Amino acid sequence: MTESVYAHRDLAAGRWGRLSLAEQLANVGSEVGRMRRWRGRDERLVTGAFDRALELLDLTLADPRWRDRLREIARARELLCDAAAGGSDYGTTLEDLDRYFLAFAVVARGSR
């Protein structure tokens, strides 16, 4: 069995577990923002941001503190995949997700 290689090694090593849910989802939102910024300009960068966003959402799903929020987090992951694929299943856009995750960034910044 191979060990996972994380783009966010320090976060996967434990730092992620010290962040609040708002901080975690704000970080996901940063990657969604990068996807929006580079869409249509550099697909390699869009793919990298998408992979990192999925990785962060997977780390959030694995965080035992959010067991009661798994449905919402998993739904956000599903909608991110839909948006990345063009929104064919749910009509999700990166703009929709950017607005969704921005709310968490505002909360995270306000709680500092």
Side-chain angles (χ1 to χ4, degrees):
M1 184 172 193
T2 60
E3 193 167 312
S4 297
V5 177
Y6 292 100
H8 298 93
R9 287 182 200 94
D10 61 326
L11 293 175
R15 197 166 68 93
W16 193 251
R18 292 192 297 270
L19 298 177
S20 69
L21 181 60
E23 290 170 320
Q24 290 180 354
L25 294 178
N27 278 288
V28 173
S30 294
E31 298 300 344
V32 171
R34 288 183 183 98
M35 289 175 69
R36 278 189 63 200
R37 186 174 319 120
W38 291 108
R39 183 182 49 200
R41 295 169 47 194
D42 189 331
E43 289 306 309
R44 183 183 56 84
L45 294 177
V46 173
T47 300
F50 174 65
D51 290 345
R52 290 187 301 275
L54 288 181
E55 178 181 279
L56 294 176
L57 281 169
D58 289 343
L59 288 171
T60 302
L61 283 167
D63 191 326
R65 295 175 299 163
W66 318 132
R67 286 182 191 268
D68 59 338
R69 305 289 296 270
L70 290 180
R71 184 176 296 178
E72 178 182 357
I73 299 164
R75 182 59 54 103
R77 189 185 194 287
E78 183 178 11
L79 293 176
L80 175 63
C81 291
D82 182 54
S88 59
D89 288 339
Y90 303 110
T92 311
T93 66
L94 290 177
E95 289 75 14
D96 294 336
L97 291 173
D98 204 26
R99 279 191 298 277
Y100 172 76
F101 287 114
L102 178 62
F104 293 103
V106 170
V107 170
R109 181 165 291 262
S111 63
R112 287 185 182 176

